Amino acid sequence: MAQGILTTLSGDPYNDAIWLDLPCGPAVSCISVREYRLTPEMTATGEETKLLTGQIQAYIPFPTGPYTAVLTLYTASMEHWASVYHLMSAVLQTVSFTDPLETLPEEPA
C-alpha cells in the first residue's frame, strides 16, 4: 500500500514525497511548502504580505488491514523548520500498531 501512496503523492510537483522505513513498517512522508498572499485587511499592519507555511504528512499503512494512519504537522514558523522536521521524525519512530494491553506482563495469580 505504501508504494501506491508514494506514487500518488509524487505526481504533484509541489510535494516532496519520500519512502520511510519505520519500526512499524513501510510508510511515506510528504513535505510541502506553500506561500499565501494575505490581503491588507488580514494583516496587523494593513499592508499586503506573504505567509510561508510548511507541512509534513506521514502516511502509515496499518499492517493488519486496509487502513492508513495520517499524521500531519502544519506550521507557519518556517524559521524553526529544521527543529519541527526533527521532532516529527522522532515521533514517527514511536508509531506502533501493537495492542498495549497485549504487551503488559501477566499479573501474579
Side-chain angles (χ1 to χ4, degrees):
M1 182 182 281
Q3 187 61 47
I5 294 169
L6 179 63
T7 300
T8 300
L9 293 173
S10 296
D12 183 338
Y14 295 106
N15 289 339
D16 181 14
I18 58 170
W19 184 267
L20 298 175
D21 287 314
L22 300 179
C24 64
V28 175
S29 174
C30 184
I31 298 171
S32 60
V33 176
R34 304 277 195 264
E35 185 176 86
Y36 298 96
R37 185 180 69 84
L38 301 178
T39 60
E41 53 273 357
M42 295 177 70
T43 67
T45 62
E47 297 177 14
E48 183 176 305
T49 191
K50 293 180 181 176
L51 176 66
L52 189 63
T53 63
Q55 177 178 282
I56 304 169
Q57 284 192 308
Y59 298 83
I60 309 168
F62 280 56
T64 59
Y67 306 104
T68 301
V70 180
L71 284 72
T72 302
L73 191 149
Y74 188 80
T75 185
S77 297
M78 296 303 288
E79 64 275 10
H80 302 292
W81 182 255
S83 296
V84 167
Y85 180 81
H86 291 299
L87 287 171
M88 182 65 154
S89 296
V91 168
L92 292 175
Q93 294 301 314
T94 68
V95 175
S96 173
F97 291 104
T98 59
D99 185 344
L101 297 178
E102 290 179 10
T103 60
L104 291 177
E106 295 200 21
E107 295 182 28

